Amino acid sequence: MADRQELIQLLWLGKKMNCDIAYKIYSYTVTRPEFEEEALSLMERLYILYAAPEDRHPR
């Protein structure tokens, strides 16, 4: 299982979000729930996670 720093680096490298990265983030979040907010906010800042203007809750 990937550790926190490895996951952050994957996001910062500008890799496209794929099933493998999403699975790694999800599996880490299951064991460490506090990482969820950190990962989501980082993805939003890097424009990896974004929503259409009409979406009320994109997460």
Side-chain angles (χ1 to χ4, degrees):
M1 180 164 72
D3 67 337
R4 182 186 163 281
Q5 277 304 111
E6 183 181 341
L7 294 172
I8 296 294
Q9 286 293 19
L10 283 174
L11 294 174
W12 273 108
L13 290 175
K15 295 183 83 176
K16 288 186 177 181
M17 180 61 73
N18 59 25
C19 288
D20 185 47
I21 294 174
Y23 177 74
K24 287 179 181 179
I25 291 172
Y26 173 75
S27 61
Y28 189 78
T29 303
V30 168
T31 59
R32 305 256 190 315
E34 65 277 0
F35 180 70
E36 179 183 9
E37 183 61 37
E38 182 180 358
L40 287 173
S41 64
L42 178 60
M43 286 188 282
E44 286 174 341
R45 286 194 315 250
L46 297 174
Y47 297 104
I48 295 171
L49 177 68
Y50 58 92
E54 65 272 0
D55 289 345
R56 299 191 75 194
H57 302 288
R59 293 179 178 198

